């Protein structure tokens, strides 16, 4: 997109206090919101779209190990490719767990930090979203 500012509805949907119309967000913020929604929604949670979601919250109680981190990377990659492939091109998924983490890491036992790096297809801008799952 050249010279045009794209704005999309914000998520969660809300009304702007100043204009009293549906609140909008810039495109990169909107895509971050979509991605966060995808990662934190469990499949089956949405009645009209039962396969939507990634299910990360269910994995928080799994034993934290390299196998868990690989599972999270796979689930995130598959969900993003299925549901947001028309918005983003995934470049990396990094996972850190709180197991044995030092206090400076900001993670505690039972927490996961999922970092999703991607490129916006409309603007070709590189972005990263960090989601802490507890």
């Amino acid at each position: 997109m050249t010279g045009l500012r794209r704005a999309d509805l914000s998520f969660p949907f809300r009304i702007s206090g100043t204009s009293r119309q549906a609140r909008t967000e810039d495109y990169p913020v909107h895509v971050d919101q979509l991605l966060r929604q995808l990662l934190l929604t469990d499949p089956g949670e949405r009645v009209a779209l039962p396969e939507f979601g990634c299910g990360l919250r269910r994995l928080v109680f799994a034993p934290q190990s390299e196998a868990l981190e690989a599972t999270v990377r796979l689930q995130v990659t598959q969900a993003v490719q299925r549901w947001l492939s028309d918005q983003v091109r995934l470049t990396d998924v990094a996972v850190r767990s709180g197991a044995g983490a030092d206090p400076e890491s900001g993670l505690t036992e039972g927490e996961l930090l999922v970092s999703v790096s991607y490129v916006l297809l409309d603007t070709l801008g590189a972005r990263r979203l960090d989601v802490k799952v507890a």
Side-chain angles (χ1 to χ4, degrees):
M1 288 177 36
T2 56
L4 295 177
R5 181 179 171 264
R6 177 176 169 170
D8 294 275
L9 294 177
S10 65
F11 180 84
F13 181 82
R14 51 191 171 255
I15 302 296
S16 171
T18 55
S19 69
R20 297 191 184 255
Q21 296 182 356
R23 185 171 171 181
T24 60
E25 298 288 352
D26 288 336
Y27 179 65
V29 174
H30 174 72
V31 174
D32 279 354
Q33 291 171 342
L34 292 175
L35 188 53
R36 185 177 305 275
Q37 175 186 10
L38 175 65
L39 296 180
L40 296 177
T41 300
D42 285 334
E45 189 174 328
R46 289 182 148 200
V47 176
L49 211 56
E51 294 177 4
F52 180 83
C54 189
L56 292 184
R57 287 191 173 128
R58 289 185 286 176
L59 298 174
V60 170
F61 299 106
Q64 295 186 351
S65 64
E66 288 181 19
L68 173 65
E69 293 176 15
T71 300
V72 170
R73 278 193 298 275
L74 179 64
Q75 283 187 245
V76 169
T77 300
Q78 289 175 340
V80 170
Q81 288 175 345
R82 178 172 183 190
W83 297 103
L84 295 176
S85 62
D86 61 336
Q87 302 284 324
V88 301
R89 185 182 76 239
L90 199 59
T91 56
D92 187 41
V93 177
V95 181
R96 285 188 18 222
S97 69
D102 62 75
E104 294 177 14
S105 72
L107 294 174
T108 59
E109 189 76 31
E111 291 182 328
L112 295 172
L113 179 65
V114 180
S115 299
V116 180
S117 300
Y118 60 94
V119 174
L120 292 167
L121 295 181
D122 276 6
T123 63
L124 298 180
R127 303 221 6 126
R128 187 178 97 192
L129 176 68
D130 294 329
V131 176
K132 185 187 280 190
V133 184

